Amino acid sequence: MAKKKPPTVAKAPKVKLSPRDEKTAERLTGLADRVVSYANNRKDPFVDIPSRTLANVKYSPKKKILEMGNATNRRQLFDLSQAKAYMRTMLVAMGSKRLIDQGKSTSLRGLFYMLKGTIEGTKENTFEEQGECDTIIEDVEVLLSSIREELHLYAENRGAMVGGIVLTDKGDEINCARMGSGGYAIPSIVEPDVIVFDKKRCTAKFILHVEKGTVWQRFNEDRFWEKHNCILTHGAGQPPRGVRRMLHRLHNELELPLYCVLDNDPWGYYIYSVIKQGSINLAFESQRMAIPEAKYLGLRSIDFERCQLSDSVKIALNDTDRKRAKQVARYPWFEKKPKWQTEIKKMLSNDFKLEVESLISKDISYVTEEYVPARLRDQDWLD
């Protein structure tokens, strides 16, 4: 009796890589090639990872952004204290290369499970917790000078936008003026090979970024973006990378001014700082995320008197708030700006903070119909 032939398995079609993916894949391959080269020459494999610390970050007065310095930390395979971290670095690089080759993306959590397992012949796991994997992902980013989105990794979507712009998202046309009450959810990956702006169909004159989704809902429901011809965005508090990258692209590619409506507290100031100058962890990517021309249009320390608010909206500062405010005041990009120093000193003197929602005590639509329009008309913002 003739033996049955095993069923043939169709080969997966070869994925055509974008120029961005080709560049990232080349860097990942180069990392692997160096390991092989070290092994062939009987040398200890190592990687020098740029240090993601405050001491290795500097502010460039010329560019007006945070930049990473040249300090590095060496990670070696044959150093027992570093061997696991070295192995994890290579695992994350391997996982990213696999995703690129397959033309697929996954979440940070997804990569953690892709790479989680027990090392053969031991009781040791590659990763115990997702936080361990996330830290290595950040190391690989700076090692390859690539953001995680280029490694085909994404985080949970946080943030939305609505307004006079039409874009294409992976081939699907999105009219952001026709997105209903929820708006267009800003993806984690918003690079030009994924999101394409239709410049001819962008009617917006500026971007208004608000801190929270609850405030964004008020602006959206009141059709602020339609009345004032703008793009309205939010980042659910501290804006994630996708939102920051989207703001950067809208500002630079469409030449739209950016105004930020944030809370009158140290955390609102910090959010503005991150949008404007960049962050310590992502200092190596400030060129693609920071927006030095952004303007602070949020609540001011004088607004309690200026807007005649009631005592009931005051939120007392705590010790953490005071400490944070003093830290922000010492940032090089705020330190030599008299208006910012006056602003922070006034808040500390008040000994209370104010949320944007406090303006609702005046009227449900006071912030959209009076406060922000007046600030824009009078160019009453902090830079």
Side-chain angles (χ1 to χ4, degrees):
M1 185 176 179
K3 291 183 179 179
K4 287 185 178 180
K5 292 183 178 181
T8 57
V9 179
K11 290 184 178 180
K14 190 174 181 180
V15 174
K16 181 176 174 57
L17 301 184
S18 68
R20 179 175 69 119
D21 284 344
E22 287 181 352
K23 187 176 180 181
T24 307
E26 185 178 331
R27 290 173 178 170
L28 289 163
T29 301
L31 185 61
D33 288 343
R34 287 197 295 274
V35 176
V36 174
S37 176
Y38 290 139
N40 288 338
N41 289 285
R42 297 188 176 185
K43 293 182 179 180
D44 182 4
F46 70 88
V47 288
D48 287 327
I49 299 175
S51 176
R52 294 180 289 108
T53 62
L54 180 59
N56 195 40
V57 171
K58 60 182 180 179
Y59 174 66
S60 169
K62 183 178 180 181
K63 298 179 183 177
K64 297 182 179 180
I65 59 174
L66 290 175
E67 293 184 312
M68 185 167 280
N70 298 320
T72 61
N73 297 314
R74 177 157 292 190
R75 186 169 290 169
Q76 296 173 277
L77 175 59
F78 294 135
D79 183 324
L80 287 178
S81 66
Q82 301 173 8
K84 179 175 276 192
Y86 184 93
M87 173 202 67
R88 287 172 168 173
T89 304
M90 296 304 152
L91 279 175
V92 167
M94 179 191 70
S96 299
K97 180 65 163 59
R98 189 194 309 169
L99 289 169
I100 292 172
D101 289 344
Q102 294 178 355
K104 296 181 179 181
S105 300
T106 190
S107 65
L108 302 182
R109 187 70 171 171
L111 184 70
F112 165 64
Y113 277 110
M114 273 178 60
L115 304 178
K116 182 176 170 62
T118 302
I119 301 171
E120 188 176 354
T122 74
K123 294 182 180 180
E124 290 286 329
N125 289 330
T126 52
F127 293 99
E128 298 292 346
E129 299 175 355
Q130 184 180 338
E132 296 171 338
C133 187
D134 291 351
T135 298
I136 299 297
I137 290 169
E138 292 176 352
D139 288 340
V140 173
E141 287 181 273
V142 295
L143 178 63
L144 300 178
S145 297
S146 299
I147 54 177
R148 71 182 176 209
E149 289 76 14
E150 291 173 332
L151 301 174
H152 283 219
L153 300 171
Y154 57 81
E156 181 183 1
N157 292 355
R158 285 194 295 114
M161 62 186 279
V162 64
I165 183 173
V166 176
L167 55 84
T168 302
D169 183 341
K170 286 191 174 180
D172 296 326
E173 185 175 280
I174 307 293
N175 186 339
C176 293
R178 297 178 178 274
M179 295 303 295
S181 60
Y184 168 66
I186 300 175
S188 176
I189 301 177
V190 298
E191 296 308 302
D193 58 340
V194 177
I195 305 292
V196 180
F197 301 140
D198 188 337
K199 295 183 179 181
K200 293 182 180 179
R201 297 169 71 185
C202 176
T203 60
K205 301 302 180 185
F206 64 93
I207 310 159
L208 190 76
H209 179 76
V210 301
E211 183 172 342
K212 307 166 197 167
T214 51
V215 176
W216 183 91
Q217 289 289 357
R218 171 47 45 214
F219 277 88
N220 189 25
E221 187 175 301
D222 289 349
R223 309 285 286 189
F224 180 94
W225 54 271
E226 188 174 51
K227 295 173 185 175
H228 297 275
N229 201 14
C230 72
I231 295 172
L232 176 67
T233 66
H234 81 83
Q238 174 73 23
R241 299 183 189 197
V243 172
R244 288 174 56 195
R245 182 71 175 123
M246 177 68 85
L247 291 174
H248 185 277
R249 289 194 60 206
L250 290 169
H251 170 73
N252 286 281
E253 296 175 30
L254 302 180
E255 300 181 349
L256 300 177
L258 171 63
Y259 304 102
C260 302
V261 179
L262 310 167
D263 289 343
N264 169 237
D265 64 19
W267 314 106
Y269 299 161
Y270 176 72
I271 289 172
Y272 173 66
S273 171
V274 168
I275 292 172
K276 189 176 179 71
Q277 267 78 39
S279 63
I280 294 170
N281 267 358
L282 287 179
F284 71 100
E285 275 302 327
S286 293
Q287 294 278 9
R288 289 200 282 184
M289 291 192 183
I291 307 171
E293 299 81 11
K295 303 292 189 291
Y296 179 90
L297 201 72
L299 259 65
R300 303 273 294 279
S301 299
I302 60 173
D303 282 336
F304 180 77
E305 293 88 2
R306 179 166 62 175
C307 299
Q308 298 181 327
L309 300 175
S310 67
D311 288 339
S312 63
V313 302
K314 294 179 181 178
I315 302 174
L317 296 180
N318 55 38
D319 289 341
T320 303
D321 292 329
R322 297 185 192 96
K323 181 180 179 181
R324 190 63 163 148
K326 292 172 183 176
Q327 287 176 339
V328 171
R330 291 194 297 269
Y331 287 167
W333 47 97
F334 287 151
E335 195 171 32
K336 296 181 180 179
K337 292 186 175 180
K339 289 186 177 179
W340 267 108
Q341 294 301 314
T342 299
E343 171 67 25
I344 295 170
K345 286 177 182 176
K346 173 66 174 172
M347 185 187 64
L348 289 169
S349 174
N350 286 345
D351 204 31
F352 63 79
K353 53 191 177 182
L354 298 169
E355 294 184 330
V356 174
E357 291 93 331
S358 67
L359 296 177
I360 290 176
S361 65
K362 294 281 293 182
D363 180 79
I364 188 69
S365 294
Y366 179 79
V367 66
T368 63
E369 295 179 356
E370 296 188 47
Y371 183 86
V372 169
R375 301 287 84 78
L376 287 169
R377 183 183 63 246
D378 299 339
Q379 297 186 10
D380 183 14
W381 51 65
L382 293 174
D383 190 3

